[in-house]
Amino acid sequence: MKIKMPIKIDTIILEDNVLMAPMSGVTDVPFRKMVRKFGAALVSSEMIASRPTLDEYKRSKNSKNCSYKKESPLSAQIAGCEPDIMAEVAKINEQQGASLVDINFGCPVKKVVNNFAGSALMKDLPLATKIMESVVASVRVPVTVKMRLGWDEGSINAPDLARIAQECGVKMITVHGRTRSQLYNGKADWKAVRAVKQAVSIPVVVNGDIYDSSSAQEAMEDSGADGVMIGRATYGRPWAVKSISCGLQGLGFQTPSLLNLRDAVLEHYELLLSHYGVHIGNITARKHIGWYCATLPDVDEFRGKINALSETQKVSTEIKSYFDGLLQSGIAAIPA
Ligand SMILES: Cc1cc2nc3c(=O)[nH]c(=O)nc-3n(C[C@H](O)[C@H](O)[C@H](O)COP(=O)(O)O)c2cc1C
């Protein structure tokens, strides 16, 4: 494999074409720090719901909790259905240091689509157009769009929406190769993304079910896309973006040893505590610890112990003693 392609998103040149996907409840500040530590050309925020965010911003007049200045380059993803509100929120995110603003036309979640946002906008191209026009006009940073193939099998319109996006001044399109009706079922159709690539001249990124460098290569070959976006493959593997990128370039990547993994878990835990405080930090950590250790022995018992603890010192001690036990039993590598 030898696929190394920088992606030029208007004024921003990313040396690497393997991008981290936005994921609500996952790609928060601590997770982004972990992904960045292992290496990623671009990180992405969680989805920002425009109206509640704007209301909160006006109430608190306080942007210090949401500064991206140390995270550059970062893509801030906004969702909503009101062009003016989305434009304002895009501007706030630009002021907070976002390098890109991404518009969400892909979220399949009922709460979002029932509010005519996310993938529901693929059923309303005039409103999607107004949103893109309004957001593009409001910021100087490049605006990108993330979409699905369409609402359902009978209404595949990603190429049409992509063409309109380009006309509106959008600078990159990411396509998750599923329809909204599919949710996360079935398999992402990378070949269907080719029609989007053929419809526009701006970069197109293919997304969905890419877990390693061979699936990344296959997705790029099937779609003709300029890059790949990686979501769930980063669960418990914040190095996945870097390792896929190295694989695509024909470079070696040293997967962290079990000792490195122990240190990563402890570091991520500390980041969660300092970002969220003890209560939310502990709750959030349980999910990540489960992912980090999913392929390790006796994980259910370990998770049970962690989930029962609330004192941070005890959690750290439990993590250390679990990993020390594995290391002493001769396990040094992370099982696939
Ligand atoms: C827990 C979770 C949260 C997600 N949140 C978002 C989001 O906030 N914005 C978005 O555009 N996509 C979101 N997605 C979709 C992912 O970005 C990605 O398109 C999808 O997971 C397919 O890629 P993958 O197979 O690499 O995970 C989310 C997916 C998951 C699993």
Side-chain angles (χ1 to χ4, degrees):
M1 285 184 224
K2 266 240 157 30
I3 307 181
K4 168 149 171 100
M5 288 198 302
I7 295 195
K8 190 169 182 310
I9 312 168
D10 194 26
T11 49
I12 296 178
I13 297 174
L14 301 176
E15 282 308 318
D16 206 316
N17 58 353
V18 183
L19 312 181
M20 170 202 196
M23 289 187 286
S24 300
V26 181
T27 57
D28 55 7
V29 174
F31 188 73
R32 296 199 297 265
K33 278 193 182 152
M34 295 303 294
V35 170
R36 182 83 83 190
K37 174 192 154 102
F38 285 100
L42 179 74
V43 294
S44 181
S45 75
E46 300 175 83
M47 181 179 82
I48 298 156
S50 293
R51 182 171 276 281
T53 301
L54 187 61
D55 291 347
E56 170 62 23
Y57 183 80
K58 285 182 175 160
R59 248 198 321 274
S60 66
K61 289 267 175 226
N62 177 5
S63 62
K64 91 175 180 318
N65 288 334
C66 183
S67 170
Y68 305 125
K69 301 232 157 78
K70 290 190 191 147
E71 294 197 70
S72 178
L74 173 139
S75 165
Q77 191 192 56
I78 60 172
C81 60
E82 297 158 292
D84 296 349
I85 306 275
M86 291 183 73
E88 274 195 74
V89 170
K91 210 180 292 173
I92 293 167
N93 278 275
E94 178 182 48
Q95 283 158 7
Q96 287 167 335
S99 324
L100 303 167
V101 172
D102 188 55
I103 304 176
N104 183 321
F105 288 152
C107 183
V109 174
K110 262 200 188 135
K111 204 172 104 189
V112 175
V113 295
N114 287 348
N115 285 314
F116 309 104
S119 56
L121 287 158
M122 296 199 75
K123 288 200 294 188
D124 189 344
L125 296 192
L127 180 55
T129 307
K130 279 194 197 123
I131 289 171
M132 291 188 285
E133 285 170 347
S134 175
V135 172
V136 167
S138 74
V139 291
R140 275 166 302 171
V141 295
V143 175
T144 61
V145 159
K146 183 165 177 280
M147 61 178 77
R148 286 190 170 227
L149 293 174
W151 180 259
D152 59 21
E153 218 184 327
S155 58
I156 303 282
N157 61 354
D160 297 333
L161 181 56
R163 218 173 283 118
I164 297 169
Q166 179 169 274
E167 280 163 19
C168 290
V170 164
K171 302 298 184 193
M172 183 177 80
I173 311 272
T174 301
V175 189
H176 176 187
R178 286 186 173 84
T179 62
R180 189 274 165 180
S181 304
Q182 282 181 284
L183 301 172
Y184 287 89
N185 300 320
K187 196 180 172 315
D189 185 351
W190 301 322
K191 289 196 170 104
V193 177
R194 187 167 280 279
V196 177
K197 175 64 189 162
Q198 285 165 347
V200 293
S201 56
I202 52 176
V204 172
V205 172
V206 60
N207 167 244
D209 300 344
I210 298 170
Y211 285 95
D212 51 25
S213 46
S214 51
S215 50
Q217 184 180 23
E218 201 182 326
M220 286 186 70
E221 284 169 0
D222 281 358
S223 62
D226 303 280
V228 293
M229 181 175 272
I230 313 296
R232 291 165 292 174
T234 62
Y235 284 5
R237 294 167 73 219
W239 56 86
V241 171
K242 184 68 180 173
S243 81
I244 290 174
S245 162
C246 287
L248 282 179
Q249 293 172 57
L251 302 172
F253 178 82
Q254 185 68 52
T255 303
S257 65
L258 197 66
L259 196 58
N260 300 146
L261 180 67
R262 183 196 75 165
D263 293 343
V265 174
L266 289 168
E267 182 179 351
H268 196 161
Y269 181 51
E270 287 303 323
L271 289 170
L272 288 165
L273 293 176
S274 73
H275 186 71
Y276 290 115
V278 173
H279 181 60
I280 304 289
N282 270 334
I283 292 171
T284 313
R286 288 171 193 160
K287 171 175 67 186
H288 288 283
I289 293 170
W291 286 336
Y292 277 114
C293 302
T295 58
L296 296 174
D298 305 325
V299 65
D300 291 340
E301 191 191 337
F302 169 55
R303 288 182 66 179
K305 285 183 187 164
I306 292 285
N307 293 353
L309 294 172
S310 51
E311 266 179 61
T312 59
Q313 197 54 47
K314 287 189 179 160
V315 174
S316 299
T317 304
E318 195 56 52
I319 294 170
K320 283 181 202 146
S321 97
Y322 172 67
F323 278 94
D324 287 349
L326 295 178
L327 288 161
Q328 275 160 20
S329 69
I331 300 171
I334 310 169

